[in-house]
Amino acid sequence: MKLLARYNRVTLMTTVIIMLLTGIAYYQAISWTFTRQKDKDLTDEETEIYEYVNLNHRLPEIFETEHQQVSFTKINIGPVKRVFVDTTYFKIWGKNNPKRQQFHAIGGYEPARGLITSVIIGHQYYKASIIHSKVETEDLIQIIFSITIGVILLLLIILFATNRFILNRLWKPFYNLMQELDLFNITDKNIIPKIDTSIDEFKRLNNSVANMSNKAKRDYQTLKTFTENAAHELNTPIAIINSKLDLLIQTENFSEWQGKLLTELYGGVLRLNRLNQSLLLLVKIENQLMDEHQHINLHELIEGMIIQFDDIYNDKGLKLTYKLDKKEIFASRYLMEILLSNLIINAIRHNYTGGEIIISLTAENFIIQNTGNDEPLNKEEIFIRFHKSSGSEGSGLGLTISRQICENFNFLLDYRFHSPYHAFIVTFPNQV
Amino acid sequence: MKILIIEDEQSLRESIEEYFKGTGNICETASDYSTALEKINLYRYDCILLDITLPGGNGINLLKNLKENNHSDGILIISARNSLDDRLEGLDLGADDYLVKPFHLSELRSRITAITRRKTFNGNGSNVLTINEISIDLTGKEVKIKNQDVKLTPKEYALLLYFIANKGKVVSKNAIAEHLWGDGVDITDDFNFIYAHIKNIRKKLMEAGGKDYIRAAYGMGYKFTG
């Protein structure tokens, strides 16, 4: 749920509730005031009746004005309790009142306020009821209530509209910033830009985010430089070990056992070297230092590699079939060679003796399939640095490098398993 | 062969010197920029091994100096940085080859041999290499024994040349694999396929009437005895 929607919901609900409460309070207050007013009128009327009775010692004429009915009833017991009541008032409509036609009646009931009291003439008690119609006050209250409802509705509409328009505009810097964050990539050079806003909170957010991203980039850069330097520094000792081993084997008086040890030493140095070269290569690709792009006939390159490796897969008794369409790409030849040889060597290494490799190249993609362990690989893990399948003698960086190379050229490297084939698919971008 | 080794890392310099010494080669060394500059201006060499990063100056400047003075010494750049820019710059300036550290001494020797061979060939026009009864036409990439053709695959041919360049030295399987498949190729499985190539070369040479020159050395490599 959007903040704006939630904010709208809360403000609108509170507004409506407050307006309704106000309306009710308003109604109660007006209603109470009018009732008091009516009661006062009724008391005045009562006083008039008393004065008349005191003066004339008889009941006044029963009269009925527009909104007032006074009636007297003889009662035999003592005086009735003086009380104000809410009652109804039977209003007789005028002869020409259209309501007569409409309701087929001579009048209708209207809400009223009455005062029941008693008068005494001699020893005779009379119950006097004075009734005043409240229809005018009711009308007034109704008008007030309608106005209140109208104002509520108007307010709702205005609130809704302003919230929508103003807040959308108000939050725009925030959304812009979010977009920048989505695009943020620690490896590239783009920084989070200053966002044009006069709102302090957003300025602060912008600053914090910019600082954080700069710091992350700086740290990442430091780490990368460290890796690069470390790998470079490692080159020299590896070169020394390598050359000393080359010299050592020239001395020639070795037992089989010593020969085996030396072979293993060579193997270790080789792996160390590969690992180091891979790290250097990764740093270089990430730094985009391989910019010397050229047009490459991919089918020729692949064909050349298949010939290059023919002794290796033949040695393992692998059956290699391939179908290559013509395809030219614009990329670094060096990196493409690494990518392809990584994938082909993987297909050979993780195969079983007498297995199969199928290579296909179309305008859309390059697919290499190989038989091997009949279990799908974990797609999430295989591209992670130093992830190795058990028994693999590789550096654990081959697929990481492959993926990095693909990203560098906007290719997509994907893995699928269709028993019995493990397939690595390089999808080319739409090159016009 | 007269070789100048310009390399600041003492240990590595000594290894190279040791490997090249003794088979009719004369090695001189320089460990910093000024010594190297002095030597390249005083003496001529068949091949100069040039490290790019040197104390006291950049090896590229030594290369420029050589070219400005029209010296025709063979130049092999050895650098710790596998940077394409360095490689291109070096080759553009007239270096004959470029080798990235770490390398096998046998690979270095094979490269130097190729450079000096090319230099001599440019001088006199004959480009046939003769080792006892084996003669190799380096231009046509043909191998003959007593005028009989020996049909070698491209890899077998490359391997034979590699062995001949490192005649009398034990060449490790690792060095062979790197030479044949490139150092970017991450094959650390058993080097069975090398054995197959060696077996084929021996068979083909002997069938053509050659001697058996290649011997296995303690399971870690091979040696061409000439």
Side-chain angles (χ1 to χ4, degrees):
Chain A
M1 185 190 237
K2 276 196 168 184
L3 180 68
L4 178 60
R6 157 124 334 158
Y7 176 81
N8 260 345
R9 182 182 287 185
V10 172
T11 44
L12 286 183
M13 262 161 65
T14 4
T15 315
V16 168
I17 288 167
I18 287 171
M19 292 296 273
L20 280 175
L21 287 176
T22 318
I24 290 164
Y26 220 39
Y27 174 85
Q28 291 295 340
I30 290 168
S31 179
W32 185 78
T33 315
F34 275 117
T35 308
R36 288 294 301 269
Q37 184 63 44
K38 277 275 176 254
D39 290 356
K40 202 168 155 273
D41 289 351
L42 289 172
T43 314
D44 286 350
E45 196 60 43
E46 184 195 24
T47 316
E48 268 178 43
I49 290 169
Y50 284 154
E51 277 169 4
Y52 186 90
V53 169
N54 279 342
L55 202 68
N56 302 318
H57 299 289
R58 61 182 175 90
L59 291 171
E61 289 293 310
I62 292 172
F63 57 91
E64 183 169 347
T65 59
E66 186 69 16
H67 298 295
Q68 180 177 303
Q69 289 174 341
V70 179
S71 59
F72 298 100
T73 327
K74 198 186 274 186
I75 42 173
N76 294 324
I77 43 165
V80 292
K81 197 177 171 224
R82 185 172 180 274
V83 66
F84 287 100
V85 288
D86 283 316
T87 175
T88 50
Y89 175 102
F90 190 78
K91 165 90 174 172
I92 296 165
W93 292 320
K95 288 268 183 276
N96 299 320
N97 195 321
K99 283 186 179 167
R100 280 198 177 215
Q101 307 299 317
Q102 198 181 342
F103 296 102
H104 304 289
I106 54 156
Y109 286 98
E110 288 174 356
R113 183 76 177 169
L115 172 62
I116 312 287
T117 184
S118 37
V119 283
I120 178 166
I121 302 172
H123 296 289
Q124 182 62 56
Y125 282 100
Y126 293 92
K127 181 180 104 178
S129 60
I130 311 156
I131 294 169
H132 272 194
S133 165
K134 282 205 305 189
V135 73
E136 278 159 354
T137 49
E138 288 292 319
D139 282 353
L140 201 60
I141 286 167
Q142 228 167 49
I143 287 166
I144 290 167
F145 201 72
S146 314
I147 289 172
T148 313
I149 292 288
V151 168
I152 287 179
L153 282 177
L154 191 69
L155 205 70
L156 283 183
I157 292 166
I158 289 171
L159 262 177
F160 192 74
T162 48
N163 278 349
R164 214 180 160 72
F165 285 108
I166 294 174
L167 280 183
N168 263 350
R169 181 170 294 178
L170 220 55
W171 282 95
K172 206 172 160 57
F174 179 79
Y175 290 118
N176 288 348
L177 201 59
M178 288 302 289
Q179 205 181 357
E180 288 295 335
L181 275 176
D182 283 342
L183 293 175
F184 178 71
N185 183 351
I186 201 162
T187 55
D188 67 21
K189 299 249 183 308
N190 299 335
I191 54 158
I192 304 266
K194 275 265 176 290
I195 280 170
D196 185 27
T197 173
S198 55
I199 295 167
D200 287 344
E201 281 83 352
F202 290 144
K203 270 188 194 160
R204 274 186 59 188
L205 181 66
N206 190 189
N207 279 340
S208 304
V209 166
N211 287 343
M212 194 201 69
S213 68
N214 286 341
K215 192 176 177 304
K217 272 186 202 248
R218 218 168 33 238
D219 288 354
Y220 179 72
Q221 206 58 45
T222 314
L223 196 66
K224 213 163 59 172
T225 315
F226 173 78
T227 315
E228 198 179 1
N229 288 342
H232 268 304
E233 290 307 315
L234 275 174
N235 254 348
T236 308
I238 293 172
I240 292 171
I241 298 173
N242 226 2
S243 68
K244 296 298 171 193
L245 274 173
D246 285 346
L247 283 180
L248 184 60
I249 60 171
Q250 307 307 330
T251 54
E252 289 203 25
N253 287 308
F254 296 121
S255 64
E256 280 295 319
W257 166 240
Q258 284 169 318
K260 193 168 171 293
L261 285 182
L262 279 171
T263 308
E264 278 165 17
L265 256 172
Y266 260 121
V269 177
L270 182 69
R271 282 174 70 171
L272 185 60
N273 188 25
R274 291 265 156 77
L275 188 62
N276 205 38
Q277 299 307 323
S278 300
L279 282 176
L280 279 172
L281 183 65
L282 264 180
V283 173
K284 239 186 275 181
I285 302 169
E286 279 174 11
N287 284 344
Q288 309 228 312
L289 291 176
M290 301 285 187
D291 283 341
E292 64 307 326
H293 286 30
Q294 60 188 98
H295 289 282
I296 303 166
N297 285 331
L298 213 48
H299 50 282
E300 280 176 15
L301 189 65
I302 295 168
E303 216 156 32
M305 288 211 156
I306 292 171
I307 295 166
Q308 170 92 343
F309 295 128
D310 61 354
D311 40 6
I312 304 179
Y313 62 76
N314 282 335
D315 183 67
K316 215 169 173 178
L318 301 176
K319 179 169 164 276
L320 188 142
T321 46
Y322 60 94
K323 186 180 173 299
L324 307 174
D325 291 350
K326 285 217 181 312
K327 169 77 183 170
E328 194 172 85
I329 57 162
F330 188 66
S332 153
R333 187 177 189 90
Y334 177 63
L335 290 184
M336 282 315 293
E337 278 175 2
I338 291 174
L339 171 66
L340 292 170
S341 70
N342 271 348
L343 293 177
I344 296 173
I345 290 289
N346 268 349
I348 296 171
R349 180 182 288 142
H350 300 292
N351 224 316
Y352 48 75
T353 308
E356 209 181 328
I357 297 175
I358 304 166
I359 295 174
S360 91
L361 175 72
T362 64
E364 287 80 42
N365 54 23
F366 166 79
I367 303 174
I368 179 161
Q369 300 181 76
N370 65 279
T371 51
N373 196 346
D374 201 30
E375 285 280 312
L377 301 170
N378 186 332
K379 220 169 151 177
E380 305 298 316
E381 287 179 353
I382 50 173
F383 295 111
I384 293 174
R385 285 180 189 200
F386 301 117
H387 172 82
K388 280 200 259 187
S389 61
S390 56
S392 166
E393 284 192 15
S395 63
L397 285 173
L399 280 175
T400 314
I401 289 173
S402 302
R403 168 159 273 191
Q404 197 78 49
I405 291 174
C406 284
E407 276 175 14
N408 204 39
F409 298 129
N410 289 324
F411 300 166
L412 195 77
L413 178 61
D414 203 8
Y415 165 79
R416 269 173 230 158
F417 180 73
H418 297 294
S419 186
Y421 297 110
H422 299 267
F424 282 91
I425 301 143
V426 178
T427 310
F428 306 119
N430 295 323
Q431 285 174 332
V432 186
Chain B
M1 250 198 310
K2 199 176 167 198
I3 298 163
L4 174 63
I5 304 160
I6 306 172
E7 163 65 62
D8 61 320
E9 190 65 41
Q10 188 200 347
S11 192
L12 200 57
R13 192 174 62 238
E14 285 173 2
S15 294
I16 299 171
E17 201 181 353
E18 178 72 31
Y19 195 80
F20 281 80
K21 247 172 31 187
T23 39
N25 297 321
I26 301 158
C27 290
E28 286 192 23
T29 57
S31 58
D32 57 41
Y33 185 81
S34 51
T35 320
L37 191 65
E38 203 182 307
K39 291 204 169 174
I40 61 169
N41 281 315
L42 280 175
Y43 313 106
R44 297 276 55 81
Y45 301 91
D46 294 307
C47 194
I48 298 172
L49 302 189
L50 180 59
D51 190 1
I52 298 274
T53 44
L54 286 173
N58 191 325
I60 290 286
N61 291 334
L62 292 174
L63 177 60
K64 284 179 184 160
N65 184 289
L66 279 166
K67 291 299 157 188
E68 276 162 17
N69 293 313
N70 286 321
H71 294 313
S72 60
D73 313 42
I75 299 156
L76 172 65
I77 294 176
I78 42 177
S79 168
R81 295 200 172 242
N82 186 8
S83 145
L84 218 93
D85 287 344
D86 279 1
R87 187 189 294 253
L88 288 179
E89 194 187 357
L91 297 179
D92 276 353
L93 285 171
D96 296 280
D97 207 347
Y98 187 102
L99 193 57
V100 181
K101 284 186 210 169
F103 46 76
H104 284 286
L105 294 175
S106 48
E107 181 67 32
L108 180 68
R109 184 143 165 172
S110 138
R111 302 279 187 108
I112 288 175
T113 314
I115 291 171
T116 49
R117 254 185 223 142
R118 216 154 49 222
K119 296 272 173 202
T120 21
F121 166 60
N122 287 343
N124 59 32
S126 153
N127 201 18
V128 177
L129 179 70
T130 313
I131 308 285
N132 303 334
E133 71 275 19
I134 309 169
S135 69
I136 303 170
D137 178 358
L138 295 172
T139 321
K141 298 192 173 178
E142 284 167 355
V143 182
K144 283 184 182 174
I145 290 177
K146 297 164 193 161
N147 283 328
Q148 191 185 337
D149 278 342
V150 183
K151 294 272 173 231
L152 296 180
T153 66
K155 270 181 196 149
E156 288 162 3
Y157 175 79
L159 198 51
L160 181 62
L161 277 191
Y162 195 68
F163 275 128
I164 291 171
N166 288 288
K167 202 172 69 175
K169 298 278 181 193
V170 177
V171 178
S172 69
K173 284 182 187 171
N174 290 37
I176 295 172
E178 236 170 78
H179 184 72
L180 290 188
W181 290 280
D183 56 358
V185 178
D186 194 357
I187 327 161
T188 34
D189 299 88
D190 196 18
F191 295 119
N192 272 336
F193 31 88
I194 293 175
Y195 173 70
H197 285 307
I198 306 268
K199 202 176 71 185
N200 285 339
I201 297 175
R202 287 167 74 177
K203 202 173 109 197
K204 286 179 183 176
L205 291 181
M206 283 162 72
E207 275 173 0
K211 276 188 252 166
D212 187 10
Y213 289 107
I214 303 170
R215 299 199 190 288
Y218 315 104
M220 63 200 164
Y222 297 91
K223 183 173 171 180
F224 189 93
T225 51

